[in-house]
Amino acid sequence: LKHRGPDHSHISKINSNLVFGHNRLKIIDLSDRANQPFSYKKISLIFNGVIYNYLELKNEINKNIYDFKTTSDTEVILASYLKWGDACFKKFTGMFSIVLWDGNKKKLLCARDKLGIKPLYYSFKNKNLLLSSEITPIHKLVKPSMNEEVLSNYLNFSLYENKSQTFFNSIKQIEPGYIYKFDVNNKFSKN
């Protein structure tokens, strides 16, 4: 995914079972302090998109809760999660896909904007959860078969969005406007 962000690439081992990788295109905060994966204490996140109301949210967050080090919307996501928990995702106005690890609760949260502008795909291989903002990297790892129902809907009705389904049987997408919560055994719920 190097083409997605030429300004910075980094892979971080978050814990013994979790690795985050990110390619950054610098837009809001051009400093290296805003590079991702972004971590504070036991919270780590990677994020694709833009939060349009990040300055307003930043002003709502008390300095006793979080002391900002950057001017990035990424850091506002993390601080918002510290202040409001899962409810923070309802406060975001923008286009985004977010993957956030809460090491305190041992939960991985994946969220997308309400319109689904920024994609987020997932699959499982050998009990491992794979996530990506594009299908191609997952496709190379899982070698899925064609989802004939989605293909038929596309060819007959020009529909290419099918809730969580994609053109491939074993590759799904996080649904727009949803938060998926994965536990350490990759069981998940969605809200």
Side-chain angles (χ1 to χ4, degrees):
L1 294 176
K2 181 70 174 163
H3 65 279
R4 296 288 304 279
D7 297 325
H8 181 263
S9 293
H10 189 71
I11 296 174
S12 285
K13 186 174 181 180
I14 305 302
N15 62 43
S16 61
N17 295 310
L18 181 64
V19 175
F20 277 176
H22 190 268
N23 293 297
R24 182 175 178 214
L25 174 63
K26 294 180 181 181
I27 297 174
I28 292 180
D29 182 332
L30 302 180
S31 74
D32 289 341
R33 294 176 305 182
N35 287 342
Q36 298 178 45
F38 198 91
S39 298
Y40 176 75
K41 296 191 177 179
K42 292 187 175 186
I43 310 294
S44 297
L45 72 91
I46 48 179
F47 155 64
N48 178 29
V50 62
I51 306 298
Y52 300 131
N53 63 334
Y54 78 101
L55 292 174
E56 291 87 350
L57 293 171
K58 188 174 184 176
N59 288 333
E60 285 185 49
I61 298 168
N62 187 317
K63 288 202 183 261
N64 294 333
I65 293 171
Y66 190 86
D67 185 26
F68 289 92
K69 308 284 189 247
T70 75
T71 58
S72 73
D73 51 354
T74 305
E75 189 174 25
V76 171
I77 294 168
L78 192 144
S80 296
Y81 179 76
L82 290 172
K83 181 172 176 73
W84 296 295
D86 299 355
C88 73
F89 298 106
K90 293 179 186 176
K91 293 182 167 287
F92 300 148
T93 301
M95 54 180 183
F96 58 84
S97 61
I98 299 167
V99 178
L100 185 145
W101 169 252
D102 185 331
N104 299 308
K105 296 180 180 176
K106 305 289 188 247
K107 295 277 184 193
L108 185 73
L109 291 89
C110 301
R112 282 181 70 194
D113 62 84
K114 293 174 186 137
L115 295 177
I117 297 169
K118 293 297 183 180
L120 186 57
Y121 302 99
Y122 71 95
S123 187
F124 298 97
K125 182 177 182 180
N126 302 328
K127 298 183 182 180
N128 294 306
L129 171 64
L130 308 170
L131 291 155
S132 180
S133 58
E134 289 186 10
I135 284 182
T136 304
I138 296 174
H139 187 270
K140 289 180 179 180
L141 294 169
V142 298
K143 308 284 188 240
S145 60
M146 182 63 64
N147 185 326
E148 292 181 13
E149 180 184 350
V150 173
L151 180 60
S152 175
N153 286 338
Y154 176 71
L155 295 174
N156 291 314
F157 309 112
S158 298
L159 296 174
Y160 64 92
E161 291 291 334
N162 244 345
K163 291 193 175 185
S164 66
Q165 303 298 312
T166 68
F167 285 106
F168 304 100
N169 282 318
S170 58
I171 300 176
K172 308 293 183 208
Q173 63 179 328
I174 303 295
E175 293 179 58
Y178 278 84
I179 303 166
Y180 285 52
K181 297 178 188 176
F182 292 87
D183 66 17
V184 292
N185 297 312
N186 290 331
K187 291 184 179 155
F188 69 91
S189 63
K190 60 182 183 176
N191 302 310

